[in-house]
Amino acid sequence: MKNTLLLLLFCFCSLQVLADGQTISPNLKFGKPTMEELTMETYSPDSSATAVILCDLTDVNYIFRVDRFKIIYSHKVKIKILKPEGTSYANVTIPYYEHKTDRSVKELVTGLEATAYNVEGGKIVRTKMKRDVVFRERINDYYMQVKFSIPQVKAGTVLEYEYMLESDIYSSIHNWQAQSEIPTLYTEYDIVVPEYFRFNIDMRGSETLKRLDEPTNLTFSIGGDLVPCSARHLNFKGNQLPALKDDSYVWYLDDYNTQVNLELQGVQFPGALYKTFTQTWGQIDKLLLEDTEFGGRLKMNNPLKEEMAALPWDKMNSTMDKIAAIYILLKNKVKWNGNYALYGNSSRQILKEGTGSNADINFILISMLKDAGIPAYPAVMSRRNLGMLPYAHPSLQKLNTFIVAIANTDSTMVYLDGSVGDGYINIIPPVLMADRARIIAPNGQSQWVGLANLGRNQLRSSVRASISPEGVVTGTRETVYMGQYASNLRNKYRTAKDSTEFVNKLASDENIQVKAISMKGRQLFSPEVRETVEFEKQSTVNDEFIYVNPLVFLHVSESTFKQAERKLPVEFPYLDQVTLSVNLTIPEGYTVDEIPESIKIGTNNGKVSCRYVVSQQNNLVSIRYTFQLNQLLFLHTDYPELQKFWEVMANKNNEMMVLKKQ
């Protein structure tokens, strides 16, 4: 009875502390959650959090077994579930390296334990996870994963799990990220590296970590002898780190995670010379050019030489015409299989199967261009959705694909990729429009290029319509889609079940009846598509008034940026320009009672702007609307201004014109 009263008193005191808005102190002990942890209902720094990581500890240590070094990663995680939605954090996945056939180097997960703690009837109830809910499954040819679900987890639960990962890959230390999609009360990363291994340390992110870097000593048992050595002790601690939630207009969330990455600089074992692993981009160029599946593919002969000879070269007036003809021929032979790659397979196999990765297609494209006397090179990169290339330490592992850089007659470079099905030269999928790509050229002529501003992306639309006394807007819209707009339109048409579904989707999106539609250039390999739509659109009508949106077809119907604040930058996919021209004839017997005012808005730096100009002459109302986006990256400090701009622009798009019956 006495213990129960003390427990209840402890609960009351804990709740009172939390009610006062104070954050609990980190408890680094596992197996004994405090009542403060068990009774907390909200996390005061982030009241919206569905769960919070109370403690996340990672230790990294080297050991020596049999004839090699190994790395032991020890992980301990404690999470408080605050809301029912947070129970998903009881489902855990641990990936690890294990090749499907080659087991000489592998990783192994051991010592897995997990427990849920709940308070029921004033008592702490402990539920330990059983082995029968732990599963191992293969992800791909290189990786496996351990999956498990901790039982009896609900709002209020404190869950813990811990495991060790034993890795044969002693020359590489896993990257460590301090933040998660839920807030973290406390996290710690502790590493001890023997003197034989020298690592570069790369710290990133906006949150502050407390860092310790000091010398220490180690002793290894090697061949029955105890071998002492000096070592480097690294420790990183983070307190009250906010959640890092994925957001729209962010290509790769992990680019902004507070993290520590260690890259091997060199190795020196006793009695051996120092071996450097630090690479320059020049060395990476050399490695790629010497690789059979990369440099070897660049040396292959054109496998479509006979088919190319049959092309009507005498009718091609420019290099761009020749590039287009070659690409069309190739794409009629090989379709993209949806995969991006850095290395290629046999061209004979690719042509036989009729499908391949973008790298497979690009290697053939380069051989065809060279055969036509057009210099072409691979431009290697990391795709936007896989992270930026590191500036400090060149890394071959960060490269994951390439596109083709082609020399034009005016000494400029144009770009194309085997994945392009709806675009054109310089109109490649936005995921490939990386800030940094490296053109791999022989004789030390490699160079860095930026692909973020490729192409000219414009939408120009002209509407001529009349309004009937019944409020029906009847007219024609003529639109020119250029660059990414043309690519997107082609993609919508291609992925629709048929033309009827495409038209019905257009009618639904724009709230119109489509009377007729025609397109020019939709099936061509070209930079633009022209579309003409004959339409009707019903406006709101009452006894005396007609309410009509004079834009008819809106640029934006609502603001893109609705959240009150933003901690991540805004990354737009490509530069953008929209021009809308509308001429509306109002019906006889009506006058304009209210009309939107002309306005010009933009950010202070002028990198995004919008103009809305209204004029009236007799019974003709005209709108001239322009939008320009001239910058792709806006910092989180720019967000309030960007949010306000989008809000004003969306409101302007939705403003109505009121016609009054005379």
Side-chain angles (χ1 to χ4, degrees), residues 467-473 537-541 546-548 587 590:
I467 307 169
S468 73
E470 293 74 32
V472 178
V473 181
K537 185 171 186 175
Q538 180 64 56
S539 302
T540 303
V541 180
I546 300 175
Y547 301 86
V548 59
Y590 280 80

Side-chain angles (χ1 to χ4, degrees), residues 117 139 156 217 259 310 319 405 438 467 471 480 518 561 583 618 652:
Y117 299 89
I139 303 173
N217 296 308
Q259 58 191 283
T319 300
R438 186 167 178 82
I467 307 169
V480 179
S518 62
F561 306 106
N583 291 291
N618 299 322
K652 202 66 186 175

